[in-house]
Amino acid sequence: MPELPDVEVFRRYLQSTSLKRRIRNVRVSRPGDMLEGVSRRRLVDELTGSRLTTTRRHGKYLFARASSGGWLVLHFGMTGFLDLGKTDELTEHWRLVLEFSRGYRLCYDCRRLLGRVSFTGDPDSFIQDLDLGPDALSDALDRERFEEQVIQRRGMAKPTLMNQSIVAGIGNVYSDEILFHARIHPRKRLRELGNRRRSKLYRETGRVLRKAIECRAQPDEMPRSWLTPCRGRDGTCPACGGRLKRLTVSGRTAYVCPNRQRN
């Protein structure tokens, strides 16, 4: 499922390819499955004739401001992505198409229909209504607030990092990566960590997410010392070479190196 690094890559893609282009036409497929909190008619009316002027991301949500007022909101589910191309070359599972001049269009593709398209007048209110915590890369999430938001929780490390109401943007893959580098077991109770390991978890959270963005969230572009390219039933630890262990933690799959991450 696209997590913060993936959505930041999508944001930068939209920013570099589609801003300032006049939207000549809007097409929506499967509105009953994809639209949330907005009708097809309203979405078409809000976007047609306008331009996307700026972008914003919070956790796993991408916001794009329309010149007519309001913000297009995209959530990518498990399989969503953006594609700029020619209007006569639609992706197979297109759900939203913004048609520009000269035959170009921006396509939001989502094969498994788990993503969502919304429209809001105020991103901050939208974030508040969803009870999302601070963005995992927000400047506001300094060490002190990280301690309050994350470390002081009673839960285990992995589900706490993945709880979007605590901190927004971290999912299954990057919670594993962060904990691997911090050398913390996914079932470890965060409140039991000493000050040194708390500091390391805070540092690794930011470092891993920023590096993943630099690698365009592509496993084959990530450092060879990372866990993500090795995740899988037959995976081995990139640090010690030992076999990774597959666990279920609060209903989610986790991969852990038993030698580096002891509970």
Side-chain angles (χ1 to χ4, degrees), residues 83-91 101-106:
D83 177 73
L84 182 75
K86 288 290 188 175
T87 303
D88 59 355
E89 300 172 352
L90 287 180
T91 56
S101 60
R102 300 182 181 177
Y104 284 95
R105 83 321 183 250
L106 180 70

Side-chain angles (χ1 to χ4, degrees), residues 75-199:
H75 186 271
F76 294 89
M78 294 185 68
T79 57
F81 64 91
L82 297 175
D83 177 73
L84 182 75
K86 288 290 188 175
T87 303
D88 59 355
E89 300 172 352
L90 287 180
T91 56
E92 183 178 0
H93 302 287
W94 70 272
R95 307 303 174 199
L96 174 68
V97 173
L98 306 183
E99 296 182 359
F100 306 124
S101 60
R102 300 182 181 177
Y104 284 95
R105 83 321 183 250
L106 180 70
C107 179
Y108 167 70
D109 185 288
C110 193
R111 177 173 58 86
R112 295 186 63 181
L113 295 170
L114 296 175
R116 292 293 179 265
V117 177
S118 305
F119 196 86
T120 182
D122 179 14
D124 291 329
S125 296
F126 185 91
I127 291 164
Q128 185 175 2
D129 289 344
L130 288 180
D131 191 30
L132 296 178
D135 182 87
L137 283 182
S138 168
D139 292 339
L141 192 65
D142 57 14
R143 169 61 198 277
E144 181 178 357
R145 191 169 184 194
F146 187 83
E147 180 87 19
E148 295 172 355
Q149 288 286 133
V150 180
I151 301 296
Q152 293 302 325
R153 302 285 171 161
R154 296 181 181 274
M156 295 181 289
K158 183 178 177 71
T160 298
L161 287 176
M162 292 179 60
N163 188 329
Q164 301 303 295
S165 66
I166 294 175
V167 59
I170 302 171
N172 205 33
V173 171
Y174 290 104
S175 59
D176 278 358
E177 192 70 58
I178 290 165
L179 293 172
F180 174 76
H181 290 283
R183 304 185 73 154
I184 295 171
H185 195 279
R187 290 178 177 156
K188 183 71 175 178
R189 302 280 175 178
L190 291 178
R191 295 183 71 177
E192 299 173 359
L193 296 178
N195 189 62
R196 182 180 63 83
R197 297 182 76 195
R198 293 180 179 195
S199 295

Side-chain angles (χ1 to χ4, degrees), residues 43-67:
L43 186 67
V44 170
D45 288 347
E46 293 280 4
L47 295 176
T48 303
S50 70
R51 292 174 170 82
L52 302 180
T53 61
T54 189
T55 60
R56 174 179 172 182
R57 182 195 50 73
H58 188 95
K60 301 177 184 180
Y61 286 85
L62 171 59
F63 300 86
R65 184 173 180 82
S67 60

Side-chain angles (χ1 to χ4, degrees), residues 19 23 25 33 45 61 72 103 131 146 159 172 176 195 199 211 231 250 253 256 262:
L19 293 194
I23 301 170
N25 188 41
D33 293 313
D45 288 347
Y61 286 85
L72 173 66
D131 191 30
F146 187 83
N172 205 33
D176 278 358
N195 189 62
S199 295
K211 185 63 177 179
R231 290 174 97 250
S250 295
T253 298
V256 58
R262 299 183 179 181

